[in-house]
Amino acid sequence: MTKGELSKNKIIGAAGDLFWRNGYTKTGINEILKATGLPKGSFYFYFKKKSEVAEAVLQYYGSRITGLLRAVAEASDCWESFCDSFMAVFQEKLADKKYYGCPLAVVGMEVAFQEDRLSACYHQALDEMREIFTQVLRRDGIAEEQLEETAALCLAVYEGNLVLYRISKDQDMMRRMNRQLKKIAGNRT
């Protein structure tokens, strides 16, 4: 990576962390720069406005989460092992108790109404997640006519429980999500 790419990634990482912790609207450009230690000109060299860095943050979180889910999906032989494996990853990441909820959902829900471009970026990441769920469910033997609906329901349960976890800070929400996801895929009518 070049020095410029490192600086840009530093801005995206700091902005993402601050957006996740404090919210998009409560985070200013100066706060992002303070977290990076970079001069103000660095921000404006890469981004014209805060919404552009928000788009980069959504892409960053989207690729990280879908990359993680893809890796877990490839290593899993069935839906149940997929659920258990990504739950183990979550439990590991939640051990520090600094952040709660899905960063993609937290940032995405807040910025989705700011600009259509941001909404589209958030929606694309959710579609990729739903597609990963579809692939694992297909491998697990869910009937083709039930796949799309089941994957969409799994995505809703996944994101909904992560939002509830953010609100409550109760790790039981994560265990509940795991049980619910397994139950959805187990109901093959």
Side-chain angles (χ1 to χ4, degrees), residues 23 28 33 38 49 60 62 64 79 101 111-112 117 119 121 152 157 187:
L33 290 169
L38 295 170
K49 52 189 177 177
Y60 168 77
R64 281 191 61 198
W79 178 256
V111 301
R117 192 173 81 244
S119 180
C121 192
V157 165
N187 291 334

Side-chain angles (χ1 to χ4, degrees), residues 5-188:
E5 290 170 326
L6 289 172
S7 293
K8 183 177 182 180
N9 287 340
K10 197 172 188 180
I11 293 168
I12 293 167
D17 185 56
L18 290 165
F19 293 166
W20 187 13
R21 260 190 302 137
N22 305 331
Y24 174 76
T25 56
K26 288 189 173 184
T27 300
I29 292 171
N30 287 334
E31 191 175 2
I32 295 167
L33 290 169
K34 183 178 178 184
T36 65
L38 295 170
K40 195 168 197 167
S42 297
F43 182 91
Y44 291 106
F45 183 77
Y46 301 107
F47 307 102
K48 292 178 184 162
K49 52 189 177 177
K50 190 166 85 167
S51 65
E52 287 182 7
V53 79
E55 182 176 5
V57 165
L58 286 170
Q59 290 169 348
Y60 168 77
Y61 282 140
S63 67
R64 281 191 61 198
I65 292 167
T66 57
L68 171 70
L69 288 175
R70 268 194 199 90
V72 170
E74 289 170 7
S76 301
D77 60 350
C78 66
W79 178 256
E80 190 168 326
S81 70
F82 171 73
C83 291
D84 288 339
S85 294
F86 82 69
M87 193 55 53
V89 172
F90 276 126
Q91 293 300 99
E92 178 184 315
K93 298 223 180 270
L94 301 175
D96 65 10
K97 298 183 181 187
K98 290 190 327 189
Y99 305 107
Y100 298 97
C102 173
L104 180 64
V106 169
V107 176
M109 285 188 296
E110 186 178 1
V111 301
F113 293 103
Q114 302 289 327
E115 291 185 29
D116 288 342
R117 192 173 81 244
L118 297 176
S119 180
C121 192
Y122 177 44
H123 192 260
Q124 178 185 350
L126 292 177
D127 276 348
E128 288 177 32
M129 292 168 65
R130 184 191 39 74
E131 182 54 35
I132 293 166
F133 289 170
T134 301
Q135 291 168 6
V136 177
L137 290 164
R138 180 178 286 124
R139 265 197 336 250
D140 201 49
I142 297 288
E144 207 53 45
E145 62 274 4
Q146 294 177 329
L147 269 176
E148 289 301 315
E149 193 70 26
T150 304
L153 182 56
C154 288
L155 180 62
V157 165
Y158 169 86
E159 287 294 343
N161 277 293
L162 286 172
V163 169
L164 291 172
Y165 171 62
R166 181 172 176 87
I167 294 165
S168 69
K169 297 174 183 62
D170 180 359
Q171 287 197 12
D172 192 50
M173 294 296 163
M174 305 306 290
R175 290 182 283 279
R176 184 174 83 176
M177 174 176 64
N178 194 16
R179 289 190 308 271
Q180 289 173 339
L181 288 171
K182 289 177 182 180
K183 186 175 182 180
I184 290 168
N187 291 334
R188 297 177 185 178

